[in-house]
Amino acid sequence: MSAQAPVAVVTGGATGLGREIARRLHAGGHRVAIADISAEAATELAAELAAQGPDARAYTVDVGERTAVEKLYAAVVADLGSVEVLVNNAARTQARPLLEITPDELDQVMRVNLNGTFYACQVFGTAMAETGYGRIVNIASLAGQNGGTATGGHYASSKGAVLSATKVFARELAARGVTVNAVSPGPQDSPMVRELLGDGLDGLVAGIPVGRLGSMRFIADMVALLASPDAASVTGACWDANGGLHLR
């Protein structure tokens, strides 16, 4: 593949949904920057993808620190030359009874989920606006729409804030060629969901109108659509995939 292929940065891209998104964008012809707090997992995935086609690089980053996000952008541009797509997927979950969440736990979840997304939208969005083109996709959650607390009330609150941030950045950057959208998954068939719910998984599935967990591969397809040049008329949107748990 050409070195001129578009570059996509996926935060939290080494495992789970982030890994599926990185694989999908890479398969679609993007050079991929896998940014994750786990250097080992990111390096392993980058090596796997790079052996199959376009370039793939691993970057270690804690998105909760703005300076780290700035360094990530600089490193990717130094290595790959540009960034056309940003997927803000990095997130922290913690199943904790709502009234027992401590200030420190609240800060830790908000720091990654909201602050990390906000910082990345600022840093990458500014650079994209200067070039006149960009696609930003934020990973939200059903919990941020309906107030579900199975993954923690602080997680739900952070994802609700991500949805608001998506709108404000979309409004700010629209005239400069940069779209900002969100994808809001419901419960996915993922190791994280199975670990969080344990014996309660069957009960959860029984309560989903379509009677099944979602597919991470399909969520990755949704992200790829929003990340494409053809998605120029979609901004400030939230695309839902929740099995009918939240209708609007």
Side-chain angles (χ1 to χ4, degrees), residues 44-120:
E44 181 179 346
L45 179 59
E48 172 195 323
L49 296 182
Q52 299 171 6
D55 201 355
R57 305 284 183 100
Y59 301 86
T60 306
V61 63
D62 177 356
V63 297
E65 296 182 6
R66 183 185 164 97
T67 56
V69 175
E70 293 170 345
K71 290 177 180 178
L72 170 64
Y73 174 78
V76 174
V77 171
D79 291 341
L80 301 174
S82 64
V83 176
E84 285 71 39
V85 176
L86 167 68
V87 181
N88 282 309
N89 170 75
R92 183 184 180 98
T93 61
Q94 183 186 51
R96 179 80 73 200
L98 180 62
L99 301 184
E100 297 177 13
I101 295 170
T102 67
D104 183 59
E105 290 168 344
L106 177 61
D107 288 345
Q108 289 177 11
V109 169
M110 285 291 185
R111 178 179 174 276
V112 175
N113 299 5
L114 174 59
N115 295 9
T117 296
F118 201 95
Y119 296 151

Side-chain angles (χ1 to χ4, degrees), residues 24-35:
R24 173 63 180 82
L25 292 173
H26 187 263
H30 289 79
R31 291 177 288 158
V32 177
I34 301 159

Side-chain angles (χ1 to χ4, degrees), residues 161-193:
V162 164
L163 289 170
S164 293
T166 298
K167 295 176 184 179
V168 297
F169 278 102
R171 190 181 299 277
E172 181 74 17
L173 298 173
R176 303 180 70 181
V178 182
T179 63
V180 187
N181 293 289
V183 172
S184 186
Q188 300 295 298
D189 190 356
S190 70
M192 182 188 74
V193 169

